[in-house]
Amino acid sequence: MALILRGSCRCGAVGFTCESHTPQPFMLCYCSICRKTAGGGGYAINLGADMATLKVEDPDRAIGVFRAELRDHDGRCEVSSGQRNFCTLCATALWLFDPNWPELVHPFASAIDSELPVPPSRVHMMLRFKPDWVQPHIDPDDQSFDEYPDQSLEDWHKSRGLWID
């Protein structure tokens, strides 16, 4: 049975639950969008969960959505399909949803109140976007990538026997 994640914003206006087969907070993203919208240590950590199980207390009360602008190497800009949900009262980053993968929701580990398992190793991704002041602590068993790794959240958990049925 999947792990039930309970989360909330800092001010308590938004509470939510969802079920996750992939609750290990292992992937640290250093891209400017994650750093600036979810903050903390120069990176943000997203978990994976089943969108069909997302239950939000009073969903119309204080939830805003931010869609980042993405610039390519040639300077062209498009709006990301990723919808970063946040509390409009205290600005807590809550979860990311992308309609390209409607079965998934990605809660930010920083918004989860329930106990999360400690990952055996971590993946540091989007390192080419980290600012100079960020000095990642990369352990010998960790992996690091300038951009996206090939392995998905699901595959990472399954390959390490950490997938929760």
Side-chain angles (χ1 to χ4, degrees), residues 53-129:
T53 67
L54 179 64
K55 306 232 181 324
V56 182
E57 300 165 14
D58 200 6
D60 298 326
R61 180 167 179 220
I63 297 177
V65 174
F66 172 69
R67 292 180 60 204
E69 291 183 353
L70 305 173
R71 293 199 186 279
D72 65 17
H73 296 297
D74 298 324
R76 288 186 301 261
C77 187
E78 66 180 59
V79 176
S80 169
S81 57
Q83 301 169 11
R84 287 170 165 75
N85 289 254
F86 64 95
C87 175
T88 59
L89 300 177
C90 68
T92 298
L94 300 166
W95 63 80
L96 171 76
F97 171 74
D98 191 320
N100 290 314
W101 297 276
E103 69 282 1
L104 298 173
V105 64
H106 297 285
F108 287 96
S110 56
I112 300 301
D113 300 317
S114 49
E115 216 36 60
L116 292 172
V118 176
S121 63
R122 296 186 185 249
V123 172
H124 302 262
M125 64 179 249
M126 307 298 274
L127 283 165
R128 78 179 190 96
F129 298 105

